[in-house]
């Protein structure tokens, strides 16, 4: 009679179903880890992409005269062009309720009379200065308003005259101007111009109230001492602080901030710096956003960035970096974005390049036009280009999201505007729009390593010695009580450790600094003294108080030693340090002292990491087979010799993996560092200074960063770095442990 | 001496020192938190100090002693106070004077040598108030309905105010809150119709009528509320502060009046218990520097419950797979490494992942699909209690897996073999025999996971915890459990009150008290788990023989 288990039926079905579900559940653990890895990569990946420029459309413009300038509104719905006759035409770029694509929305004549428009100078997003052939100067602003009357959004263009509809008297003598530039805000407008009778003048118009709604002003005329009689180009920074006046291959920099005198700040002669054989001439220049840097393009296809730097000989303009735009052609035009440090270059053949200065990124190269470009404009949000070629307006969409992130910007020293030399700096945001973001991960990675090092410095000796004693010398009864107590440390939330470190420990260390130093000496000393004293006890007392009670005996001893160190501290302070250790360190030793520093973090994080190292090291030492110990002792070695030369060596892989897990934990710790350091992103090994770690940086900055911005993705990159780091450590430690387990099963 | 050294004994003692230091730190820490935390609740003595201020004038300071400190005299030498230079150190005390509306700082340091007289008058009273903190001083009288009244009625009046305040709270939070909630839902319903283009004139009228009727209800409630407020606002307590000023405190501001110095030990013990009770049950006041932590406790408990519901099945299933079904192949090794790595990943990385993936990606999609009418205001596309529970579930998954696996490995294989031999399928063995025996281990794992989740703060800072949540995720309005709401958490409360509060001195004892609460919860959870685990080990040691 055979009893056969049916291979089908509800029970077997349930069994198979259960097997599949459980297998799925098991694999899902692996799936979760992979998901985290992939998602982090997914968020990080866009920052390493280059720019993309795509043509969106083009249409004909009805114009009789050549175009001088063009522009587009913020939402890229209406573009305009200004032609030589002084007429400004607005064209609809997208279909709206009122107009078709390409329709002419508004046309206005900005000049009167027979004069031809010579030049359009831009400053800021809206303001345009018109200079005509009769020498008249007029300031117009192209404004765009959103209208929701029809239910959907419609952009309505209009022209405003911020300084009034009358022509502006830039020159006191009313001479014709050959070159002109300006800068303006609500209270002041500053013009720098070169007249036909070879004078370089500066004119300031001071608003009586506010230029946004009242164009009334008074004028101050000044003449500038100019050594040469010929000017090619003038640029005034938007904050009206500097004027760059180019004459042939020299650029004179004038300080415009003084109301009385215009001083020559510096003379930039680019060709002096380059040592090449070909003759070089300056062919173009442009101001980078932020009113500090100037970009100079030359005839051998290079663009260099210059800004003012404080050196030992005073402030000088230095050539900070160069960009190789073209091998063969000159750089005829440079256009800069309104708010970021990107710039676009054009050569005579129409080749265009897109670059970002701080990260030295080469973002895009290509040919969008044939070279006969009449006008070129970057949209205000830098997401589009409008190029006028002949009688065609061409619109392009630009995707250039993360130009400021490159390998060099993240990991190498970068020379930021206003700094005397290249440095590693993390300073992700500030209040102004044209701030140069500083995204070097080096200071915060350094902070992570520093915090982990100090923590391990405190944790490893204590944890390992405790593990050795608990696993090897302690009686089983005491071990049953001591082991869970020490492992209780692991359960304590790090928030509490952090707040105790920041609010309780840091002030104590600051006030009792001599005590901390004394503890280093007094604690081991008191242990040795107690050991020696016990050794000298008569034999019957030794039997009653065995050596295995050592930890219990040492508790009051250490408490007394510590307490006396703290009691003596004020006296030491007065005796050696003139009453105040902190002042002594700051003034006499010239070391900066922060209340929340690495010493506090080391102690607190060491406390948090001790249980991790302790449990694993203790397990490792405890599982060394007993017959090894017995054999060694039988051969005449002492307990300590056995421990040091046999047991520890055998357990060393386990101890090593314990230390690695501890290090992994120390690197990832967030709350303690957040609360116990000053969160200063500095590169300093000093024990009395704070630091900023990757984890704390993420916790502080993530809630406030714009989703999808470069800053946001760099924070994800920091998280990814942490993930990879702990992954490597933990996997390594686990592999060592698995091998150890196999090894011991054979012993 | 040399032989003693060679025997290695000093090194043994040194390693024993390591154990002692660890023990001292653990127990010392627990004792520090307990003593500082509990002392916050014990009603302290109120002292009256006669001393001189910086200008040399005689002043009276009334308050509780908060802290004591010894400074080297040299540090204060610049103040020219005529201190005895022969004394090395000088003592000073931190006094909490309260009375925030009358003085600039409600904490001040007094130098002990400068204090002329210290007394503990029995008439000194501490008045706990809803705003402006505590008041220390003398009671001068009571004004009831504009007329002076005898002091015996004081307790009665405080109780009366309590009753009225509870009524007002209920009217505001429960009744008016429900009406607001319903009006908001109607607005969203209307907007959904507009977006779906299904809004007919009929539907619009229906919705508008409902809104009108809710508004009418609200008017009635508002009148009732104002009436109660009116009844309470006319009673005042007349008090005199340390500077001699006499002020009136409205009874509606007063929570409690205690004559601390008059209390006996029993009286203090009962006030102690009362304070602990109100700490656990009340809402926070004064930007979290006063009052209780009830919303934080509630938020933590709710989030942990949700997390448990998510993590238990997943963790147990994964552990069963690893132990019962997985073969000795590379996939299993990979899985074990994956579990170890999940345990070792820094918690902030989980927070970042939770924020990016759960909140923005999954939550954003949920919003687009199901809650389009509330956009651009996000419902699930923003941090909240559900995403926090999910993030912490992934974080604590390894804990449950390891613990369950340990429990499964202790079950002798004889049991499995016996069951299979009797004809049960593997699934039946698992369900009926293995799991019930392993259930204490599973419970241990869950308890340890809960303990970990109660203490983790870093990921929660990114995925759903806030400094102050105006309402709880669980309330009387449908659908009762609001998974999209943000919540308060005990661990974050400690960080926030300790480091982001406007008045650090006032906040510090509260931080210790909250820390003590959190440590108590976590330590007791851990001890329970360890006890269960140890008993389990004992039980199976017997089973194996």
């Amino acid at each position: 009679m055979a009893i056969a288990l049916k291979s089908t039926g509800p029970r077997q079905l349930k069994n198979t179903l259960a097997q599949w579900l459980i297998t799925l559940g098991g694999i899902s653990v692996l799936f979760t880890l992979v998901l985290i890895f992939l998602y982090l990569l997914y968020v990080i990946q866009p920052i390493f992409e280059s720019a993309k420029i795509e043509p969106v459309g083009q249409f004909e413009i009805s114009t009789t005269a050549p175009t001088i300038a063009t522009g587009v509104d913020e939402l890229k719905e209406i573009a305009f062009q200004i032609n030589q006759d002084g007429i400004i035409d607005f064209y609809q770029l997208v279909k709206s309720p009122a107009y078709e694509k390409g329709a002419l929305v508004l046309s206005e004549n900005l000049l009167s009379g027979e004069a031809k428009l010579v030049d359009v100078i831009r400053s800021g997003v809206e303001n345009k200065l018109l200079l005509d052939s009769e020498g008249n100067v007029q300031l117009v602003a192209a404004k765009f308003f959103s209208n929701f009357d029809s239910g959907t959004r419609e952009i309505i263009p209009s022209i405003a005259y911020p300084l009034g509809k009358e022509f502006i008297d830039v020159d006191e003598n009313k001479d014709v101007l050959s070159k002109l530039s300006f800068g303006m805000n609500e209270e002041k407008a500053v013009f720098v111009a070169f007249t036909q009778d070879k004078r370089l003048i500066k004119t300031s118009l001071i608003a009586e109230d506010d230029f946004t709604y009242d164009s009334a002003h008074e004028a101050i005329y000044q003449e500038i001492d100019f050594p040469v009689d010929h000017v090619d180009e003038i640029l005034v920074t938007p904050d009206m602080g500097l004027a760059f006046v180019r004459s042939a291959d020299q650029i004179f920099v004038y300080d415009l901030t003084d109301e009385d005198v215009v001083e020559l700040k510096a003379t930039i002669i680019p060709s002096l710096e380059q040592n090449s054989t070909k003759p070089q001439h300056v062919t173009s220049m442009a101001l980078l956003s932020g009113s500090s840097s100037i970009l100079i393009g030359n005839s051998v296809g290079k663009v260099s960035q210059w800004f003012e730097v404080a050196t030992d000989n005073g402030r000088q303009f230095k050539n900070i970096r160069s960009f190789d735009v073209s091998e063969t052609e000159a750089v005829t035009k440079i256009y800069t974005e309104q708010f970021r440090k990107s710039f676009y270059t054009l050569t005579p053949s129409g080749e265009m390049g897109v670059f970002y200065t701080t990260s030295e990124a080469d973002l895009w190269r290509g040919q969008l036009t044939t070279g006969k470009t009449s006008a070129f404009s970057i949209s205000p949000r830098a997401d589009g280009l409008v190029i006028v070629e002949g009688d065609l307006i061409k619109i392009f969409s630009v995707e250039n999201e993360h130009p400021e992130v490159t390998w060099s910007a993240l990991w190498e020293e970068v020379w930021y505007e206003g700094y005397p030399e290249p440095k590693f700096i993390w300073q992700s945001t500030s209040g102004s729009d044209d701030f140069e973001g500083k995204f070097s991960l080096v200071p915060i990675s350094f902070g992570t390593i520093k915090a982990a090092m100090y923590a391990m410095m405190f944790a490893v000796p204590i944890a390992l010695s405790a593990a050795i004693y608990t696993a090897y010398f302690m009686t089983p009864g005491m071990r049953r009580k001591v082991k869970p107590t020490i492992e209780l440390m692991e359960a304590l939330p790090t928030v509490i450790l952090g707040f105790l470190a920041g609010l309780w420990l840091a002030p104590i260390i600051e006030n009792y600094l001599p005590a901390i130093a004394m503890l280093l000496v007094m604690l081991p000393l008191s242990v040795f003294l107690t050991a020696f004293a016990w050794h000298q006890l008569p034999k019957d007392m030794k039997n009653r108080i065995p050596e295995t009670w050592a930890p219990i005996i040492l508790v009051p001893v250490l408490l007394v030693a510590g307490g006396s160190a703290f009691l003596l501290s004020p006296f030491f302070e007065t005796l050696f340090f003139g009453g105040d250790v902190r002042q002594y360190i700051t003034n006499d030793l010239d070391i900066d002292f922060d209340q929340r520093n690495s010493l506090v973090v080391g102690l607190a994080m060491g406390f948090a990491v001790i249980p991790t190292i302790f449990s694993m090291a203790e397990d490792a030492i405890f599982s060394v087979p007993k017959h090894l110990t017995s054999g060694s002792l039988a051969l005449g070695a002492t307990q300590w010799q056995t421990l040091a030369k046999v047991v520890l060596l055998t357990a060393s892989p386990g101890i090593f993996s314990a230390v690695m897990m501890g290090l992994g934990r120390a690197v990832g710790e967030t709350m303690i560092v957040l609360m116990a350091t000053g969160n200063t992103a500095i590169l300093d090994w000093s024990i009395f200074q704070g630091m900023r770690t990757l984890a704390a940086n993420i916790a502080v900055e993530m809630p406030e960063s714009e989703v999808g911005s470069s800053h946001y993705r760099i924070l994800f990159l920091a998280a990814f770095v942490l993930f990879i780091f702990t992954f490597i450590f933990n996997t390594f430690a686990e592999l060592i442990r698995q091998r150890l387990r196999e090894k011991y099963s054979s012993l | 001496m040399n032989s003693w050294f060679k025997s290695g004994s000093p090194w043994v003692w040194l390693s024993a020192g390591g154990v002692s230091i660890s023990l001292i730190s653990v127990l010392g820490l627990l004792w520090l938190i307990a003593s500082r935390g509990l002392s916050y609740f014990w009603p302290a003595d109120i002292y009256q100090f006669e001393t001189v201020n910086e200008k040399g004038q005689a002043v009276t300071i009334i308050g509780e002693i908060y802290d004591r400190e010894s400074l080297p005299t040299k540090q204060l030498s610049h103040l020219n106070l005529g201190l005895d230079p022969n004394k090395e150190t000088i003592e000073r005390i931190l006094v909490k004077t309260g009375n925030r509306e009358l003085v600039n700082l409600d904490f001040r340091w007094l130098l002990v040598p400068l204090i002329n007289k210290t007394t503990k008058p029995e008439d000194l009273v501490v008045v706990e108030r809803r705003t402006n903190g505590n008041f220390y001083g003398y009671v001068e009288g009571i004004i009831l309905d504009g007329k002076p009244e005898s002091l015996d009625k004081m307790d009665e009046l405080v109780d009366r105010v309590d009753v009225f305040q509870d009524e007002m709270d209920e009217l505001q939070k429960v009744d008016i809150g429900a009406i607001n909630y319903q009006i908001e839902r109607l607005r969203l319903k209307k907007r959904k119709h507009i977006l779906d283009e299904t809004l007919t004139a009929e539907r619009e009228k229906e919705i508008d009528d409902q809104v009108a009727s809710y508004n009418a209800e609200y008017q009635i409630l508002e009148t009732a509320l104002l009436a109660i407020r009116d009844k309470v606002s006319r009673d005042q307590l007349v008090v005199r502060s340390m500077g001699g000023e006499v002020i009136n405190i409205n009874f509606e501001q007063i929570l409690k009046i205690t004559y601390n110095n008059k209390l006996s030990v029993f009286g203090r013990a009962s006030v102690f218990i009362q304070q602990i009770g109100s700490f656990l049950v009340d809402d926070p006041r004064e930007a979290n520097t006063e009052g209780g932590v009830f919303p934080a406790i509630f938020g933590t408990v709710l989030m942990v419950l949700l997390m448990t519901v998510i993590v238990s099945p997943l963790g147990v299933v994964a552990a069963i797979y690893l132990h019962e079904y997985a073969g000795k192949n590379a996939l299993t090794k990979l899985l074990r490494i994956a579990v170890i790595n999940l345990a070792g990943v820094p918690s902030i990385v989980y927070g970042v992942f939770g924020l990016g993936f759960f909140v923005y990606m999954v939550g954003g999609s949920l919003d687009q699909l199901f809650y389009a009418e509330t956009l651009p205001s996000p419902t699930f596309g923003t941090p909240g209690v559900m995403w926090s529970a999910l993030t912490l579930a992934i974080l604590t998954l390894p804990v449950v897996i390891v613990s369950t696996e340990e429990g499964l490995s202790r079950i002798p294989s004889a049991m499995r073999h016996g069951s299979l031999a009797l004809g049960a399928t593997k699934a039946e063995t698992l369900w009926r025999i293995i799991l019930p025996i392993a259930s204490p281990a599973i419970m241990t794992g869950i308890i340890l996971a809960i303990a970990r989740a109660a203490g983790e703060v870093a990921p929660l800072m990114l995925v759903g915890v806030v400094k102050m949540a105006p309402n709880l995720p669980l309330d009387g309005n449908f659908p009762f459990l609001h998974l999209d709401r943000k919540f308060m958490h005990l661990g974050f409360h400690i960080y926030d009150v300790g480091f982001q509060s406007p008045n650090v001195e006032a906040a510090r004892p509260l931080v210790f008290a909250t820390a003590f609460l959190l440590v108590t919860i976590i330590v007791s959870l851990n001890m329970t788990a360890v006890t269960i685990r140890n008993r389990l080990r004992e039980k199976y040691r017997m089973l194996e023989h």
Side-chain angles (χ1 to χ4, degrees), chain A residues 11 15 39 42 489 491-493 495-496 499 528 532 535 547 551 554 574 607 640 675 698 716 727 730-731 738, chain B residues 1 4 9-11 13 20 25-26 29 74 333 341 344 352 356-357 361 423 427-428 457 499 511 519 522 526:
Chain A
R11 284 176 61 213
N15 190 31
Y39 182 75
Y42 164 77
M489 280 159 98
L492 284 176
V495 169
I496 295 185
F499 112 76
F528 279 129
F532 193 65
H535 184 71
E547 201 172 26
L554 282 176
T574 326
F607 183 93
W640 186 258
M675 300 202 253
I698 297 172
F716 267 78
F727 180 83
N730 281 317
T731 311
Q738 279 183 1
Chain B
M1 171 82 168
W4 170 69
S9 177
W11 307 115
W13 278 79
S20 313
S25 353
V26 167
L29 201 89
K74 288 223 176 90
K333 237 185 175 162
N341 274 307
V352 161
F357 184 73
M361 201 177 250
E428 283 166 355
V457 177
F499 288 84
V511 182
V519 165
I522 291 180
N526 268 295

Side-chain angles (χ1 to χ4, degrees), chain A residues 5-316:
Chain A
L5 179 65
K6 284 200 236 165
S7 56
T8 55
R11 284 176 61 213
Q12 198 60 3
L13 220 67
K14 274 197 249 177
N15 190 31
T16 324
L17 190 68
Q19 184 171 351
W20 279 112
L21 279 176
I22 291 177
T23 310
L24 201 69
I27 309 286
S28 72
V29 173
L30 189 60
F31 168 71
T32 314
L33 194 69
V34 173
L35 179 67
I36 297 179
F37 178 78
L38 287 178
Y39 182 75
L40 288 177
L41 268 182
Y42 164 77
V43 176
I44 293 169
Q45 181 255 342
I47 55 180
F48 295 114
E49 285 176 351
S50 358
K52 287 205 245 312
I53 302 185
E54 303 284 317
V56 167
Q58 61 183 41
F59 48 86
E60 277 189 26
I61 48 176
S62 49
T63 180
T64 46
T67 311
I68 305 255
T70 179
V72 71
D73 81 303
E74 257 194 2
L75 298 163
K76 295 192 303 188
E77 290 197 13
I78 297 194
F80 64 86
Q81 60 106 2
I82 307 177
N83 65 17
Q84 217 178 39
D85 288 338
I87 300 182
I88 182 169
D89 292 327
F90 289 88
Y91 295 91
Q92 188 79 22
L93 292 179
V94 298
K95 186 172 168 9
S96 82
Y99 296 98
E100 286 299 320
K101 203 165 140 166
L104 181 64
V105 176
L106 177 67
S107 179
E108 238 180 78
N109 199 336
L110 299 171
L111 298 177
S112 57
E114 291 298 319
K116 291 278 175 210
L117 189 57
V118 166
D119 200 5
V120 175
I121 303 114
R122 326 176 61 138
S123 177
V125 178
E126 300 177 330
N127 295 333
K128 284 159 232 326
L129 202 61
L130 306 174
L131 176 65
D132 72 13
S133 51
E134 286 173 11
N136 296 319
V137 177
Q138 167 72 285
L139 182 66
V140 300
K143 289 201 183 284
F144 302 92
F145 298 100
S146 308
N147 188 301
F148 290 90
D149 285 342
S150 59
T152 52
R153 183 184 63 206
E154 225 184 300
I155 308 286
I156 317 270
S158 75
I159 316 270
Y161 297 89
L163 290 178
K165 268 203 148 168
E166 314 80 39
F167 292 138
I168 301 168
D169 285 327
V170 175
D171 184 18
E172 216 174 3
N173 307 349
K174 300 203 199 303
D175 196 8
V176 174
L177 307 170
S178 54
K179 295 276 181 254
L180 174 64
S181 182
F182 83 114
M184 183 170 158
N185 64 12
E186 313 85 43
E187 301 169 338
K188 196 161 91 159
V190 173
F191 298 83
V192 174
F194 191 65
T195 65
Q196 258 187 8
D197 53 356
K198 318 269 187 230
R199 283 177 304 127
L200 186 65
I201 56 169
K202 169 191 169 202
T203 307
S204 314
L205 301 180
I206 317 282
E208 289 187 9
D209 197 350
D210 185 324
F211 278 135
T212 359
Y213 41 81
D214 183 9
S215 60
H217 56 263
E218 56 169 272
I220 302 176
Y221 300 96
Q222 287 166 286
E223 198 168 309
I224 305 175
D225 266 331
F226 193 58
V228 192
D229 64 351
H230 156 74
V231 164
D232 287 316
E233 221 178 319
I234 306 180
L235 289 175
V236 173
T237 55
D239 67 351
M240 300 173 285
L242 296 171
F244 295 87
V245 181
R246 179 168 77 86
S247 172
D249 290 334
Q250 287 188 1
I251 301 171
F252 299 90
V253 186
Y254 288 96
D255 182 349
L256 299 176
T257 49
D258 198 315
E259 290 289 340
D260 302 315
V261 162
V262 179
E263 273 190 14
L264 178 67
K265 227 171 192 234
T267 312
I268 303 176
I269 311 178
S271 53
L272 273 186
E273 295 244 343
Q274 333 275 30
N275 33 12
S276 105
T277 48
K278 288 185 278 188
Q280 300 176 22
H281 304 288
V282 175
T283 48
S284 55
M285 62 182 201
L287 291 171
L288 208 54
S289 85
S291 301
S292 310
S293 302
I294 183 161
L295 296 167
I296 302 175
N298 65 16
S299 53
V300 293
K302 289 209 198 312
V303 172
S304 51
Q305 178 188 9
W306 298 67
F307 56 72
E308 213 181 0
V309 152
T311 64
D312 295 328
N313 312 334
R315 298 184 72 89
Q316 292 174 4

Side-chain angles (χ1 to χ4, degrees), chain B residues 23 26 60 116 149 182 205 231 302 306 335 394 407 524:
Chain B
L23 283 175
V26 167
T60 312
N116 297 331
E149 199 40 86
Q182 296 299 337
K205 182 168 180 324
K231 268 192 265 186
L302 184 69
L306 283 173
L335 232 87
I394 305 184
S524 41

Side-chain angles (χ1 to χ4, degrees), chain B residues 152-208:
Chain B
D152 310 325
K153 292 239 172 157
M154 198 165 64
D155 292 327
E156 193 186 304
L157 282 172
V158 175
D159 289 334
R160 186 173 144 226
V161 164
D162 267 342
V163 165
F164 282 139
Q165 198 70 30
D166 285 338
E167 271 181 43
M168 283 202 291
D169 276 343
E170 176 145 345
L171 265 179
Q172 267 187 318
K173 288 203 180 152
V174 179
D175 300 325
I176 297 184
I179 292 181
N180 279 331
Y181 187 80
Q182 296 299 337
I183 293 182
E184 175 68 10
R185 281 189 71 203
L186 287 172
R187 178 189 82 86
L188 289 176
K189 191 162 148 193
K190 189 165 170 182
R191 186 159 159 69
K192 191 167 172 99
H193 282 307
I194 294 178
L195 282 177
D196 291 343
E197 293 173 4
T198 54
L199 185 69
T200 59
E202 195 183 303
R203 278 204 184 116
E204 193 170 354
K205 182 168 180 324
E206 194 187 318
I207 293 178
D208 286 342

